[in-house]
Amino acid sequence: AHLMRRPRVAWAALAVLAGAQVRYGMARAERPPERLVGATRAIVGLGMAGAAVEAIEARGRRGLAAVALAGTVGFAVEVLGVATGRPFGHYRYSDRLGPRVAGVPLLAAAAWALMSRPAWVVAGRITTRGPARVALAAAALTAWDVFLDPRMARDGYWIWDRAGRYEGIPASNYVGWLGTGLVAFAAWPVLDPDPPDARDDAALATYAWTAAGETFANAALWRRPVTAAAGALAMGAVTIPALRARVRR
């Protein structure tokens, strides 16, 4: 009975997303960013759809509620960030991500939501202690932005008022991501308290695929060795222990 509960549609959704990301990565190496705005939006949409399917298949309504909470918290903090410069630093969004509310694209909520369960599952493979898992999940989510922010800022999706030392991104951005992640995951021990099992393998695979794919794309396709190295170290620090724990079990 347990095996029958393993998600299946989530794996298909991940395969579709991975295929689209491969095509996007190759196209981005050859075309200017302004010609890929629609493709970028589509990738975010596919990622969000896959995240919702995976959450429902693995954890039902509580899983979907947890993902929705992460997106809501992330969007709310983005609104605060654009208005005040806190906690991320002073920045603003362009119109490339579509409709905006209070200066923040609606797709920004999807960006926070779609990687929330993969980060939670990866953290849970390393520790099942509530506070430690919350902190590690927030760190895992932040690690993803080590890849994401340099690319999206470089392509004009948002603009920093003052460039930082890491690929133009200020350190305050990552402090803000970590703090927002802590708030977003604070209720997850109640919404999704179970330790990871076979139902969560698609989420684990999503995080591992993202780490490997972003590393390869930045190093081999986009000629961004600094981003490739930094992102690989950040995401690899949680991906490798999580995969080892999964293999042992």
Side-chain angles (χ1 to χ4, degrees):
H2 176 73
L3 293 177
M4 292 180 66
R5 295 205 310 267
R6 291 183 179 182
R8 297 189 179 187
V9 178
W11 283 103
L14 176 56
V16 171
L17 176 63
Q21 288 173 326
V22 169
R23 293 192 64 182
Y24 173 84
M26 297 175 67
R28 190 179 177 277
E30 301 172 351
R31 302 176 190 174
E34 57 270 19
R35 294 184 59 187
L36 294 172
V37 170
T40 299
R41 295 182 188 179
I43 290 288
V44 176
L46 282 174
M48 189 61 251
V53 167
E54 189 281 326
I56 293 171
E57 281 197 319
R59 290 292 185 267
R61 293 180 180 177
R62 288 193 305 171
L64 185 60
V67 169
L69 175 63
T72 301
V73 169
F75 186 83
V77 177
E78 292 272 7
V79 170
L80 177 66
V82 166
T84 68
R86 297 182 180 181
F88 306 106
H90 290 280
Y91 68 106
R92 62 190 184 279
Y93 281 96
S94 70
D95 61 357
R96 292 189 175 183
L97 284 176
R100 291 173 289 180
V101 174
V104 179
L106 295 175
L107 280 182
W112 284 94
L114 65 87
M115 196 57 67
S116 58
R117 252 192 59 81
W120 182 248
V121 170
V122 165
R125 283 293 179 190
I126 299 171
T127 178
T128 56
R129 295 174 56 233
R133 187 177 182 183
V134 167
L136 191 55
L141 189 62
T142 303
W144 174 50
D145 193 56
V146 176
F147 281 123
L148 179 68
D149 219 277
R151 179 176 78 252
M152 299 295 279
R154 190 164 54 245
D155 288 355
Y157 290 95
W158 52 80
I159 302 95
W160 290 98
D161 288 358
R162 181 175 297 179
R165 294 184 178 181
Y166 168 64
E167 299 286 78
I169 311 302
S172 58
N173 173 67
Y174 296 103
V175 175
W177 264 74
L178 184 61
T180 303
L182 290 171
V183 174
F185 287 117
W188 281 53
V190 175
L191 293 171
D192 189 4
D194 299 332
D197 55 35
R199 293 173 295 173
D200 303 300
D201 283 350
L204 175 60
T206 298
Y207 196 90
W209 157 253
T210 301
E214 288 277 4
T215 300
F216 176 81
N218 278 281
L221 298 178
W222 304 333
R223 302 296 189 267
R224 292 288 174 176
V226 174
T227 303
L233 285 172
M235 292 192 78
V238 285
T239 302
I240 294 173
L243 290 176
R244 285 177 176 173
R246 176 65 182 94
V247 170
R248 285 198 300 269
R249 293 193 64 177

